[in-house]
Amino acid sequence: MNTTTNPKTPPNRVLYATMGLLLAVLLIGAGGFLWLSGQNGNNPVSIGGPFTLEDGNGKSVTDRDFRGKYMLVYFGYTFCPDVCPTTLNAVADAMDKLGPAAARVQPLFITVDPKRDTPPVVKLYAAAFGSSIEGLTGTPEQVAKAAKAYRVYYAEHRTGPGPDDYSMDHSSVLYLMGPDGAFVGPVRADESGSEIAADVKKLMG
Ligand code: NI
């Protein structure tokens, strides 16, 4: 913002113009935050929806299979060097911290790298963080559809000439979905287990 004042402009007009701009920026900023977090009471953000994927045994699963429980959904991939393992460790820790409320929460890890993350791979990976986390995969089309519904960004990033020489860029957000499957709110994925547990508890009401 250019706040240089023209000496010939009456100071009040500059002040009011600046205040108006600031107010506009604040309102847009707050609106954007509320819109994203769905905390303005009417959840205008369409996040989630029907998905059909495969569980760790290669069995078809849909969002409806988790009705009655909150789903704590995270998209990532097992070859992820840092963000995914850190997040899943925190989620496992959050499940411990939730105490009895954990029985009402099902953490889901959905891969964005179905080429390498076959059912046995996601099963083994999710289990390594705690038995409560369920790993899901699917065909590239099924994964793409689920990611789109959750507004998850992901893209292959080549690191060499070989077929496995790539990493996946992906957005990193935890989504809490209600027992009816509807979006409840986002949870920051870069928080500690205690912080995630506190956020989830708050969103569960
Ligand atoms: Ni990752």
Side-chain angles (χ1 to χ4, degrees):
M1 197 192 304
N2 183 359
T3 52
T4 312
T5 53
N6 180 338
K8 279 175 188 161
T9 312
N12 274 353
R13 207 189 290 171
V14 174
L15 181 67
Y16 291 141
T18 307
M19 279 175 63
L21 253 177
L22 270 175
L23 189 64
V25 167
L26 283 172
L27 282 174
I28 292 165
F33 173 77
L34 290 173
W35 186 83
L36 275 175
S37 58
Q39 284 170 1
N40 58 353
N42 54 8
N43 273 339
V45 198
S46 161
I47 289 194
F51 63 71
T52 302
L53 294 163
E54 280 171 42
D55 69 10
N57 299 315
K59 190 175 146 258
S60 180
V61 284
T62 76
D63 53 296
R64 305 198 68 84
D65 293 322
F66 302 99
R67 289 292 185 277
K69 269 193 169 190
Y70 286 83
M71 299 188 291
L72 187 59
V73 182
Y74 186 73
F75 287 78
Y77 70 116
T78 70
F79 285 76
C80 185
D82 40 38
V83 177
C84 291
T86 306
T87 303
L88 292 183
N89 262 325
V91 167
D93 187 34
M95 289 298 283
D96 290 341
K97 300 266 174 10
L98 275 172
R104 295 161 60 206
V105 180
Q106 176 59 59
L108 296 178
F109 170 75
I110 302 176
T111 184
V112 293
D113 185 13
K115 253 193 288 183
R116 289 184 294 200
D117 289 345
T118 59
V121 173
V122 288
K123 185 180 185 176
L124 206 65
Y125 185 74
F129 293 95
S131 55
S132 65
I133 301 176
E134 179 156 2
L136 300 178
T137 183
T139 65
E141 294 75 24
Q142 287 174 329
V143 166
K145 212 175 152 199
K148 194 179 172 202
Y150 280 82
R151 310 203 174 201
V152 167
Y153 161 83
Y154 68 101
E156 203 175 288
H157 181 85
R158 302 301 310 179
T159 54
D164 281 341
D165 293 341
Y166 66 91
S167 60
M168 300 297 292
D169 298 332
H170 66 94
S171 48
S172 180
V173 177
L174 289 158
Y175 303 91
L176 188 70
M177 314 302 288
D180 59 353
F183 178 55
V184 177
V187 175
R188 289 177 58 136
D190 59 351
E191 295 185 324
S192 69
S194 307
E195 290 167 327
I196 291 173
D199 285 353
V200 166
K201 249 183 182 154
K202 203 172 153 193
L203 286 170
M204 286 169 81

